[in-house]
Amino acid sequence: MAENLETKTPALEKFLPVSVQDFRQMITGNFVYVDKTRYIYEMVRVPQGYYFLSRPRRFGKSLLVSTLKALFEGRRELFKNLWIEKSDWQWQALPIVTIDFNGLDSGDPNKLERSLIAVLDRSAKTHGVALNSELLPVRFVELLLALADKYREKVVVLVDEYDKPIITHLGEGEAGLKIAEQNRTILKKFFGVLKEGDVAANLRFVFITGVSKFSKVSLFSELNNLQELTMHAEYASMLGYTQEELEKYFSDRIAEFARRQQSTTTDMLRKLREWYNGYRFTKAEVQVYNPFSIVNALAEYDFKTFWFETGTPSFLVSLIKERDYSVAQIEDLEVPEAAFSTYDLEKLSLEALLFQTGYITLHDYALELYRLGYPNQEVKSSFSAYLYDSLLDGVDTVLKAQFKRLHQYLMKEDLAQFIETTNAILSAIPYTQHQQQGEAFYHTIFYLMVAASGVLVQTEALS
């Protein structure tokens, strides 16, 4: 396949999984697989488990779901030489229902219902069982009980990107919010059947993943036995790569990257750490690399904003504008733990949204407060540049892009050119467009242009 040829270097043994999210394909296709099966074993060894995990997009959630599927299919041959293959796992094949919301049409509630019914019908057809009810929740119950009865085994339910029908519509005004609320109601009833007595008695394992963690009150009130792994210290590095894993599995690529950059391996590791490491999701002092960005950087032997360019945070920018949010404070936020348990559509917390979508991460925890900020240079520079561009509507594109030179001017200590460029950009902002804006607006613009250029910025720092 084309991607194999593009990412393979003759001197290197394995391919980089640039766009591979299927476990079987990764193993049989000779791609690098970072072994996370020790964490998976801790989940699956429990006789019956209901789990929920949220992580930012492109962080390995789909691969994890695919790995769980292969495990519960009893595909031991795929796990050769991995940690779990040497454990006491029994490798028993169980009936599995997999629902990937990435591929569902959720443009409105009717389309979402029809898409889910189609998924259930395909699963029923695959297993040779019949579904009769026209009601979505009842149809789901029929499928789960029919599979348990046919195979005389408990059923596994794997759900990927459960929140896609909700977050897709955020930032689309009142009409979008209404669709999100209606889709949430459908999902609430759909997932609620997993707690029903007859169904629960026939379930072996339930795993739900997505980007956001909407509160159990608003979405999972009927499924209140979910164990939350999002900020669980024992699973801090189940997704993403630790420094140790990076150096163990990608040492040959790092050495080749350093050679091409005419650098040392030590310097290359430092730069990779600055650009792509820094994600921390729990109180445990464990940081991980964004897997999508680091794999792409090692494939292209270049430093780019790989992760940021795969998705546009337009709804976040809309909220920032709407609330006149002070962007500079993103550098160093402090929030209580309650901020991570309130994810309701009617009262969205911007800090919580920034955290769950991966634009900020945990830096420290002390005195019952979480200190948050940008995870790394990739996110800080690209998010700042995106906000800067969004706020400067009406400014000449060529002039607006001159912010990229500010870092260079400061490095050369050319303050005259720095001031001239800054003044030119600020003075080009149409007065009619921002006449209602005060000092805070221009403070934000100045902060963004400097931060986006790659300068380490501190605002109102105490001496």
Side-chain angles (χ1 to χ4, degrees), residues 216-392:
K216 292 179 181 178
V217 173
S218 66
L219 182 57
F220 293 127
S221 58
E222 304 300 323
L223 190 59
N224 55 11
N225 57 340
L226 279 175
Q227 184 176 350
E228 172 70 57
L229 302 182
T230 301
M231 301 184 74
H232 195 304
E234 295 301 314
Y235 296 89
S237 58
M238 183 163 67
L239 296 183
Y241 303 150
T242 64
Q243 186 68 36
E244 181 182 4
E245 288 170 338
L246 178 73
E247 296 183 35
K248 174 182 177 181
Y249 290 93
F250 301 97
S251 58
D252 51 354
R253 293 278 176 172
I254 295 168
E256 176 64 14
F257 198 173
R259 185 189 68 79
R260 295 189 183 208
Q261 295 277 320
Q262 296 183 332
S263 176
T264 65
T265 300
T266 300
D267 284 343
M268 181 55 60
L269 286 170
R270 175 188 56 78
K271 194 170 182 181
L272 288 170
R273 194 160 48 241
E274 291 173 355
W275 267 77
Y276 305 118
N277 196 13
Y279 281 95
R280 177 179 167 186
F281 300 103
T282 74
K283 294 177 185 177
E285 295 183 9
V286 177
Q287 292 187 334
V288 293
Y289 284 81
N290 180 319
F292 181 81
S293 288
I294 193 66
V295 165
N296 275 277
L298 295 176
E300 294 191 23
Y301 300 111
D302 199 2
F303 291 92
K304 296 180 182 178
T305 55
F306 296 105
W307 175 78
F308 189 87
E309 293 172 1
T310 63
T312 304
S314 55
F315 77 96
L316 289 174
V317 174
S318 297
L319 285 174
I320 287 172
K321 287 181 177 180
E322 178 184 309
R323 301 180 185 182
D324 195 22
Y325 190 80
S326 176
V327 177
Q329 67 178 308
I330 293 177
E331 289 273 5
D332 194 13
L333 287 168
E334 283 192 341
V335 299
E337 188 162 3
F340 301 106
S341 59
T342 306
Y343 292 81
D344 293 324
L345 287 175
E346 293 77 11
K347 49 181 179 179
L348 289 172
S349 163
L350 190 51
E351 290 84 4
L353 282 171
L354 288 166
F355 174 76
Q356 67 186 13
T357 50
Y359 295 99
I360 60 175
T361 196
L362 175 61
H363 283 184
D364 196 12
Y365 176 81
L367 302 176
E368 299 185 353
L369 287 174
Y370 290 87
R371 188 165 65 83
L372 307 170
Y374 291 113
N376 51 47
Q377 187 62 44
E378 177 193 20
V379 176
K380 179 180 177 179
S381 295
S382 52
F383 191 48
S384 298
Y386 186 85
L387 286 170
Y388 165 79
D389 187 67
S390 299
L391 292 175
L392 285 186

Side-chain angles (χ1 to χ4, degrees), residues 2 9 29 32 84 133 136 163 179 256-257 339 345 353 358 444:
T9 301
V32 177
I84 200 169
S133 176
L136 174 62
D163 52 351
I179 294 174
E256 176 64 14
F257 198 173
L345 287 175
L353 282 171
T444 296

